Amino acid sequence: MIDSHCHLDFAVFADGLDQELQACQRLGVSHVFIPGTVPDGWQRQLTLTKTHEAIGIGLGCHPYFLTPQSPSALPQLASLLDQHPEILAVGEIGLDRHIDVDWALQVAMFEQQCELANQYQRPVIVHHRRSHNDLIRQLKQRPVHCGGIIHGFSGSLQDAETYLDLGFLLGVGGTITYPRAHKTRQTICALPLSALVLETDAPDMPLNGKQGQINRPRYLPEVATCLAALRTESLADIADATTKNLSRLLRWPLPDASHDNATCKTSA
C-alpha cells in the first residue's frame, strides 16, 4: 500500500528517515508521497526523490504558510514543473477558513497554482478546513484537468460525490480511527472503493490511541485495517484498490500503471 500524504521531509524525521522507510517496507507500505508546503522545502524534496526510490513528491504553497511574498514563488514553481517530471502533483494547496491568513491571498494562490497544474498537466493535492463550499465553487469555475486528491476528507456525502464528479479522489486517514467521527465514517462507507486513497498526514493527524505521539507512515496499515472493519471489503482488497487508485492518478509508482491518466483532460 501507499501513504498518499505524509511529510517525511519535515525536520522531525530528519535523523530517522531511512529507519522509517525500512519500517514501512516491513509493514507493507511500499511507497510514500510527500506534498510540498513551502518553497524553501522544494529542493530537499527533489533531493529525496534522487536518494529514495520509495518517495514521490508534489510541490506547492500550503495556505498555512502564505505571506504577501508568496506569489513571487510561482515562477519558480512553474520552472520546476517544467524541468522535473518527477514532480507528480501540485500541492499541497488549498483554502482554510480556520486560519488567520488573508482570504483573498489564499484564493489567488489557489487559483494560480491550479492554473499551473493545468499548464503542466499535473493533479493537485488539496487542503481544506471549513472550506468545502469555497473549494467546490472554485473547482467548478476553473476545473483541474488532471483531477487530484482532497486530503484528509471530512465532509458530507454530497460534498464527496461532487468532488468525485470533478475528478478527485478522497484521502482517508486517522480521522476514521476515532469512533466519534460518525459523519466521516458513514460518508466513507457510502462511497465506492475506487474513490479512496490512504494517508497518514504524518507527523500530524495521529490515530486514535496515539494522541500526543508523532504520527508516522508506518501506521498506515492501521488506517487500512480500520477502513476494512468499517466497510465490506477485505483488508487485502482495500490495500490493492487504494494503491491502484493513487497510482493511476499520479502515474506512479506501479510499472503497469497507465501513462494515460484517465482523469487528465487537455484544455480546449
Side-chain angles (χ1 to χ4, degrees):
M1 65 188 78
I2 303 173
D3 189 342
S4 69
H5 195 112
C6 70
H7 297 284
L8 277 180
D9 57 321
F10 282 11
V12 68
F13 293 115
D15 294 332
L17 178 60
D18 290 337
Q19 293 89 331
E20 186 62 36
L21 289 173
Q22 290 166 10
C24 285
Q25 293 286 336
R26 289 195 301 270
L27 294 166
V29 181
S30 62
H31 294 77
V32 296
F33 179 81
I34 303 175
T37 56
V38 293
D40 286 349
W42 293 346
Q43 191 55 57
R44 170 162 168 73
Q45 289 179 263
L46 286 164
T47 299
L48 287 175
T49 65
K50 294 178 173 61
T51 57
H52 297 82
E53 64 179 20
I55 288 177
I57 63 167
L59 301 186
C61 297
H62 193 296
Y64 277 10
F65 307 111
L66 296 179
T67 70
Q69 290 72 45
S70 294
S72 66
L74 294 175
Q76 179 190 3
L77 179 56
S79 177
L80 291 172
L81 288 167
D82 185 51
Q83 296 173 30
H84 294 278
E86 66 269 30
I87 302 170
L88 304 172
V90 173
E92 181 175 355
I93 65 176
L95 298 174
D96 192 319
R97 286 197 176 271
H98 189 69
I99 56 177
D100 186 22
V101 175
D102 181 74
W103 184 251
L105 175 62
Q106 288 193 53
V107 171
M109 287 293 290
F110 181 76
E111 291 177 347
Q112 291 176 69
Q113 289 181 99
C114 286
E115 289 175 4
L116 288 176
N118 284 341
Q119 181 179 348
Y120 293 100
Q121 298 184 34
R122 304 297 209 282
V124 294
I125 312 300
V126 179
H127 167 92
H128 65 86
R129 199 168 186 190
R130 299 180 182 175
S131 56
H132 286 308
N133 290 340
D134 302 292
L135 285 167
I136 287 169
R137 182 168 56 252
Q138 288 289 329
L139 293 169
K140 283 183 175 179
Q141 291 174 351
R142 300 173 180 82
V144 176
H145 303 146
C146 293
I149 298 170
I150 305 301
H151 154 55
F153 177 78
S154 59
S156 69
L157 182 59
Q158 181 179 0
D159 290 335
E161 291 173 338
T162 301
Y163 285 127
L164 299 186
D165 289 342
L166 290 166
F168 282 76
L169 299 172
L170 306 177
V172 180
T175 298
I176 67 162
T177 67
Y178 290 83
R180 67 175 182 268
H182 302 294
K183 178 181 173 182
T184 300
R185 284 179 159 200
Q186 291 172 355
T187 298
I188 293 300
C189 288
L191 296 170
L193 190 53
S194 60
L196 308 179
V197 293
L198 300 174
E199 62 172 61
T200 63
D201 198 22
D204 300 316
M205 217 164 88
L207 279 62
N208 186 33
K210 292 182 168 64
Q211 296 93 324
Q213 301 178 31
I214 295 172
N215 195 14
R216 299 180 179 277
R218 70 176 73 176
Y219 300 150
L220 190 70
E222 297 181 42
V223 177
T225 298
C226 181
L227 186 59
L230 295 171
R231 293 179 60 96
T232 59
E233 300 92 352
S234 69
L235 176 59
D237 286 344
I238 283 173
D240 181 64
T242 55
T243 296
K244 288 179 178 176
N245 294 342
L246 183 69
S247 188
R248 281 193 294 267
L249 178 75
L250 298 182
R251 293 172 280 179
W252 169 89
L254 297 184
D256 61 346
S258 170
H259 287 271
D260 296 318
N261 190 329
T263 64
C264 192
K265 303 172 186 175
T266 57
S267 55

